[in-house]
Amino acid sequence: MADGLTLSRRGFIVSASATGLAIGVLAACGGNGDEAENAVSSEPIPEVNAWVHVGTDDVVTVRIARSEMGQGTLTGLAQLVAEELECDWTKVVTEYPTPGENLARDRIWGDFATGGSRGVRDSHQYVREGGAAARIMLIEAAANEWGVPASECVAESSVIKHMGSDRQTSYGSIAEAASQLAPPIEVTLKDPSEWKIIGQPKLRLDTTDKLTGKQVYGADIQLDGMVNASIKAAPMIGGTVASFDASAIESMPGVIKVMQVGDNAVAVVAETWWQANTALEALPIEWEPGEGSDYSSAAFEAELDDGLTADEAFVGNGGGDVQAAFANAAQVVEATYNMPHQNHACMEPMNATAVWTEDKCEVWCPTQNGEAALASTADAAGLPLEQCEVYKVHLGGGFGRRGAGDYIAQAVTIAKSMPGTPVKLLWTREEDMVHGFFHPTTKARMRGALDADGNLTGLHLRISGQSILAALMPQALADGVDFATFQGLLPSGVDPRVEDQTLKYELPAFLIDHAMRNPPVRPGFWRGVNSNQNAIYLECFLDEMAFAAGRDPLEFRLSLMPDDSKNAAVLKAVAERSGWGSDDGKSRGLCTFYSFGSYTAACAEVTVSEDGRLKIDRIVAATDPGTAVNPQQIEAQVEGSFVYGLSALLYGEITFENGEVQQRNFDTFDSLRIADMPEVETIVMPSGGFWGGVGEPTIAVAAPAVLNAIHAATGKRVRQLPIKDQNLRDV
Amino acid sequence: MASLKINGEERTVEVDESTPLLWVIREQLGLTGTKYGCGIAQCGTCTVHVDGVPVRSCTYPVGALAGDEEITTIEGLSENGDHPVQQAWAEMDIPQCGYCQPGMIMAVAGLLNDIPEPTDEDISAQITNICRCGTLARVRKGIHLAAKKV
């Protein structure tokens, strides 16, 4: 949903890309088996093209512009390139080109932004073309050497054969000659029916080092002469540094420097991070409250409630005569639900390592957007983009949090005060919890009209609450409207940029609107973004309407969508697999949603004990992402989506008092553990012809399916999230 | 000053005794496979073995060691990355971002030291590490697979 941001950043980068830049080192990011791992892939021969380098040892290095943060995009994108390249998959390794190189080469790798489940779906065309172009050049080089037409040569598994003779050569032998050739003007991509690597459940390319501790994350970066920093920013919204007493800690072990960073933070630099943080904990700091420092979540409830019935609201979608539907209704159903703020809580806290000199600033960091990280670096360094470089490392989780550059700017600011000395800044978990870009808070009031036959005749879904775009990219608002608020609820056929976030139900008369109520809390894009709560609001309420109408929730939903539609297909798939409607005494709940271009559905089975405790017994989930590049990785993302979505449902809640976050660590912002985790049966059912996202869409269906199953088990509706501390038999 | 026996090697480090074992492992010994996640023994990313028993090293002061304990980190779990848990994890392609996995693997290896064939109930009771990407469903299956390989 960050299109506005992407476009504005692209404009910024492109305008600054006219000048040259020394090409930095490429950061290797994942091997594939021992052979590839042990190979030296930095042979001094040129690349075939920007996407593909082939060593004399036949090792194929595929360049990956998007960031790997667990979602598997690294492997998926490599499969796309390898498919068209016709290379030996067992000899594929990957590396990240740097944002500086991208800038110097006129953005040859395109967009580095990794969010919105777009890694594969937005770049599949050009990365496949890159692979195909490299194959054509390799074949042409071999044909030239043999003095035969290229049309008589074929490539398979990194070997080129001449069909008219027994001549053959390997990619590694011909790569240097191929690199001298002009790229083809036109390439034709394979028909999906010819795919041999795309669509296969390949193992990830980046697993081996993650099993042995060898994988280097940002927090693990070690540079010669490096010092370590810990930082504390004002704990209250809008707060700034009033004063701090450096003398109190300057003599503590290892302390090198105590300094203010920007107007709101204080950092301690020491030989080791533990020394830096120990000293920081002991540092007396006085904070000056500012705008928003009196904010409290409890008090903000009144503003959210006001928005639920306010006269003015932005219309996101609608049609038909809603007033008439309610005037003529045989029955009106009403309910109010909420979604509290959430923290991304990546397992690896925010960090960046920087070294600054008057001529150059270099940063090593986990980031979801290399180019934005480069811009943050240049800005904080006070240097032109061309004199800065960012080396991306694998992310220990991202979930949307690492699209921001706040921690990078801090690291660069500290490094700038110590020219030539590399500084690693690592946040504590507490700092990470307090200074998030939080999933926005909203409430929703739904009203539904039923006729005497139990048909839905009207629906009003009023969202009240926080807009992400208003805070982060107001230029992306359209006449004040934050379209992202309506994720998954938008009209189809209106704006191609949001066609992947549209409502798939066909409703006779309905209105979906948003009364914007913005707290002073910094919001952000959080895995699944606004589809998460929008699915809760719509799908729990449709369940309520089905029961009010005395109808089966599956049949009720299906009556509101074309029978041959893709959303009907995923819904039917989970119903069938889960045993929906069977007489086995299980308590089941359904949900379906469309977001990030993919159709998803889930059926949850739960047990609620006599004393009101929840056990989620089983999840059946279906997804139609159009094209399934790697089915087993899609399964992994679907399974993971339930952990993330159900963690929010069960435990996730960030609340503020006097402008301060009340949850400081995993003891108060808990995450679902293995004891809570049900088995997930995933049905991957790509229907072809389109490319949908995978990392995020399923989160939307996790919570509603469980909430609807809780109702099936208890007859009670849970409308206040999170579930923690609520007795489910007593809500 | 503290003396440790880590991954079979005797090491002496100049460090305040209150320093958590995690930071000695990462900063004084340079073994960065063991991760920092929370600092309050909640998430388990820092799990290492002390005499074969999984401990959360982020709250374990190095001074609490007698010096003769065998400390094992992810780097020392197996010589070639082929401990049964690592084999199972590779076969099932379990890690996503992977940051929690060294701790997860050490916790599971510790569980299997204690209970070679854990039931689902044993797993639920003993494995409490946090994984935000969401590998937990596969981790459960991976534990059963690893148990067959031990």
Side-chain angles (χ1 to χ4, degrees):
Chain A
M1 294 299 290
D3 287 345
L5 182 65
T6 306
L7 289 171
S8 66
R9 281 177 179 155
R10 176 178 296 177
F12 173 55
I13 296 288
V14 167
S15 68
S17 68
T19 49
L21 178 75
I23 292 177
V25 296
L26 290 155
C29 55
N32 178 17
D34 292 340
E35 194 174 1
E37 290 227 329
N38 295 334
V40 179
S41 58
S42 56
E43 297 290 326
I45 62 171
E47 66 188 24
V48 179
N49 64 16
W51 300 100
V52 175
H53 177 277
V54 185
T56 51
D57 50 10
D58 284 334
V59 169
V60 170
T61 304
V62 176
R63 272 74 179 267
I64 306 291
R66 312 282 179 164
S67 300
E68 177 57 50
M69 50 189 162
Q71 82 281 38
T73 205
L74 182 89
T75 305
L77 290 168
Q79 283 178 263
L80 294 172
V81 174
E83 178 70 59
E84 294 292 339
L85 182 60
E86 294 287 2
C87 67
D88 180 353
W89 178 252
T90 65
K91 292 187 179 176
V92 171
V93 297
T94 60
E95 65 187 7
Y96 290 135
T98 67
E101 279 179 279
N102 200 38
L103 177 62
R105 297 182 68 178
D106 219 8
R107 300 194 81 222
I108 195 164
W109 290 285
D111 193 351
F112 277 40
T114 313
S117 295
R118 288 192 307 258
V120 165
R121 67 190 175 115
D122 271 13
S123 50
H124 66 87
Q125 184 77 19
Y126 59 77
V127 304
R128 283 186 293 149
E129 286 171 357
R135 180 197 72 234
I136 290 167
M137 292 160 76
L138 288 158
I139 290 175
E140 193 183 332
N144 290 349
E145 195 171 289
W146 298 329
V148 301
S151 57
E152 291 179 8
C153 302
V154 291
E156 193 182 349
S157 196
S158 295
V159 173
I160 302 165
K161 289 180 180 166
H162 177 229
M163 292 184 290
S165 65
D166 58 0
R167 278 176 291 199
Q168 67 172 51
T169 189
S170 72
Y171 277 8
S173 309
I174 207 74
E176 186 163 9
S179 71
Q180 308 301 317
L181 299 175
I185 293 161
E186 242 184 62
V187 299
T188 306
L189 297 180
K190 289 183 186 177
D191 184 83
S193 63
E194 301 171 80
W195 287 342
K196 291 174 292 195
I197 297 173
I198 300 173
Q200 295 304 306
K202 298 289 185 194
L203 294 175
R204 296 174 65 113
L205 296 174
D206 55 346
T207 295
T208 308
D209 285 352
K210 290 178 178 175
L211 303 179
T212 58
K214 280 188 196 154
Q215 179 68 56
V216 172
Y217 298 86
D220 305 328
I221 293 285
Q222 291 291 340
L223 300 173
D224 284 346
M226 189 182 83
V227 295
N228 291 273
S230 184
I231 198 164
K232 199 178 272 187
M236 73 288 287
I237 296 169
T240 50
V241 178
S243 65
F244 59 95
D245 179 11
S247 67
I249 61 163
E250 275 166 350
S251 61
M252 287 180 71
V255 171
I256 297 166
K257 185 167 194 165
V258 184
M259 64 178 286
Q260 185 166 338
V261 179
D263 63 359
N264 77 334
V266 181
V268 175
V269 182
E271 286 166 26
T272 69
W273 185 84
W274 180 252
Q275 290 169 333
N277 193 58
T278 302
L280 181 62
E281 292 292 318
L283 177 66
I285 310 174
E286 295 292 329
W287 306 105
E288 180 71 34
E291 198 179 337
S293 295
D294 58 349
Y295 174 73
S296 110
S297 303
F300 190 68
E301 283 291 304
E303 282 197 53
L304 290 173
D305 288 341
D306 173 72
L308 292 177
T309 53
D311 291 338
E312 284 190 28
F314 296 120
V315 174
N317 199 353
D321 191 339
V322 181
Q323 276 190 333
F326 281 99
N328 300 324
Q331 191 183 168
V332 173
V333 186
E334 285 192 20
T336 300
Y337 283 76
N338 82 312
M339 170 61 87
H341 282 118
Q342 305 285 333
N343 189 297
H344 297 84
C346 306
M347 291 311 296
E348 179 195 21
M350 298 304 113
N351 66 83
T353 302
V355 56
W356 184 96
T357 64
E358 281 183 11
D359 305 319
K360 191 169 176 70
C361 183
E362 294 172 284
V363 164
W364 291 256
C365 68
T367 173
Q368 289 179 240
N369 190 338
E371 291 180 302
L374 184 66
S376 296
T377 298
D379 193 41
L383 291 168
L385 284 170
E386 295 76 13
Q387 286 169 242
C388 297
E389 184 57 289
V390 168
Y391 308 105
K392 298 198 302 176
V393 285
H394 275 3
L395 289 68
F399 316 123
R401 175 63 180 86
R402 286 190 159 106
D406 51 339
Y407 54 96
I408 297 169
Q410 288 177 341
V412 171
T413 301
I414 299 167
K416 193 178 176 181
S417 77
M418 317 176 70
T421 302
V423 180
K424 177 161 73 185
L425 170 68
L426 171 66
W427 285 15
T428 59
R429 173 59 57 195
E430 289 78 8
E431 193 70 4
D432 196 282
M433 203 59 83
V434 170
H435 296 287
F437 283 75
F438 301 97
H439 186 296
T441 185
T442 57
K443 271 190 157 179
R445 176 172 181 257
M446 278 75 66
R447 296 181 71 229
L450 293 165
D451 68 13
D453 297 325
N455 296 308
L456 186 158
T457 53
L459 176 74
H460 180 199
L461 196 172
R462 162 63 63 85
I463 300 164
S464 169
Q466 191 170 15
S467 152
I468 301 175
L469 298 188
L472 296 191
M473 45 185 92
Q475 74 280 6
L477 296 174
D479 293 327
V481 182
D482 176 355
F483 67 85
T485 297
F486 300 103
Q487 193 180 8
L489 304 174
L490 287 160
S492 189
V494 173
D495 185 340
R497 291 176 306 170
V498 293
E499 194 60 39
D500 60 344
Q501 311 287 1
T502 50
L503 180 69
K504 294 300 176 190
Y505 281 109
E506 294 183 352
L507 305 172
F510 70 108
L511 173 65
I512 301 173
D513 54 7
H514 174 214
M516 198 184 288
R517 295 290 184 275
N518 289 322
V521 176
R522 185 167 77 169
F525 301 96
W526 190 96
R527 189 177 181 187
V529 198
N530 290 310
S531 64
N532 299 336
Q533 73 273 14
N534 288 346
I536 293 171
Y537 300 155
L538 181 67
E539 283 293 302
C540 290
F541 187 65
L542 286 180
D543 218 70
E544 295 204 27
M545 289 191 74
F547 278 88
R551 291 170 64 180
D552 174 80
L554 172 65
E555 177 271 325
F556 186 76
R557 284 180 175 82
L558 289 173
S559 75
L560 298 170
M561 58 180 77
D563 193 50
D564 60 352
S565 61
K566 295 182 198 303
N567 46 325
V570 288
L571 191 54
K572 287 177 191 169
V574 296
E576 188 181 338
R577 173 74 67 87
S578 67
W580 180 266
S582 67
D583 196 15
D584 57 9
K586 306 270 190 196
S587 302
R588 297 191 174 91
L590 283 174
C591 178
T592 180
F593 210 67
Y594 174 77
S595 59
F596 303 98
S598 289
Y599 301 83
T600 57
C603 181
E605 277 178 26
V606 308
T607 311
V608 177
S609 67
E610 284 306 312
D611 58 353
R613 278 177 302 178
L614 173 69
K615 182 169 182 297
I616 305 167
D617 299 311
R618 179 190 180 209
I619 299 281
V620 177
T623 180
D624 176 2
T627 309
V629 174
N630 187 324
Q632 77 96 2
Q633 280 304 300
I634 294 172
E635 286 176 17
Q637 289 305 301
V638 169
E639 292 161 13
S641 294
F642 285 92
V643 175
Y644 210 67
L646 297 179
S647 289
L649 173 71
L650 298 177
Y651 307 112
E653 179 180 38
I654 292 289
T655 56
F656 293 79
E657 220 175 284
N658 296 321
E660 295 195 21
V661 170
Q662 300 300 293
Q663 297 75 18
R664 298 299 174 98
N665 207 317
F666 288 121
D667 53 346
T668 44
F669 186 84
D670 203 359
S671 195
L672 180 145
R673 317 280 174 135
I674 208 166
D676 296 327
M677 183 60 193
E679 188 177 344
V680 178
E681 297 167 42
T682 304
I683 307 165
V684 181
M685 42 190 293
S687 57
F690 66 99
W691 297 71
V694 167
E696 294 172 273
T698 297
I699 299 199
V701 295
V706 169
L707 286 168
N708 291 335
I710 289 170
H711 172 262
T714 64
K716 295 184 187 267
R717 292 285 175 187
V718 179
R719 303 189 182 96
Q720 180 76 27
L721 305 187
I723 285 178
K724 68 170 182 176
D725 306 332
Q726 296 183 60
N727 183 321
L728 297 179
R729 296 223 173 254
D730 200 27
V731 288
Chain B
M1 183 85 123
S3 294
L4 307 89
K5 201 166 162 195
I6 188 153
N7 299 334
E9 273 183 56
E10 305 268 3
R11 301 285 297 267
T12 303
V13 291
E14 282 290 338
V15 68
D16 188 288
E17 292 209 334
S18 65
T19 307
L21 179 58
L22 167 67
W23 293 102
V24 173
I25 290 170
R26 286 182 58 82
E27 303 203 298
Q28 271 76 31
L29 303 176
L31 297 171
T32 55
T34 306
K35 306 302 184 194
Y36 164 69
C38 69
I40 59 166
Q42 275 289 315
C43 75
T45 59
C46 65
T47 304
V48 300
H49 292 181
V50 176
D51 288 335
V53 178
V55 302
R56 294 191 169 172
S57 62
C58 71
T59 53
Y60 195 111
V62 70
L65 291 166
D68 58 352
E69 299 92 341
E70 298 274 355
I71 300 166
T72 310
T73 69
I74 186 71
E75 290 91 345
L77 182 63
S78 62
E79 205 152 308
N80 302 307
D82 56 358
H83 182 278
V85 178
Q86 290 166 315
Q87 286 182 39
W89 258 231
E91 269 178 50
M92 297 191 59
D93 222 18
I94 287 177
Q96 291 188 26
C97 89
Y99 190 83
C100 73
Q101 295 299 335
M104 190 75 82
I105 289 167
M106 294 306 287
V108 171
L111 169 67
L112 296 181
N113 283 346
D114 191 31
I115 309 173
E117 288 179 52
T119 62
D120 278 333
E121 288 70 30
D122 295 329
I123 293 167
S124 293
Q126 300 292 324
I127 301 299
T128 57
N129 296 40
I130 293 177
C131 169
R132 295 284 289 171
C133 293
T135 61
L136 299 176
R138 280 194 193 196
V139 164
R140 183 182 290 280
K141 290 179 185 168
I143 295 170
H144 290 305
L145 179 61
K148 289 194 190 121
K149 293 174 181 288
V150 171

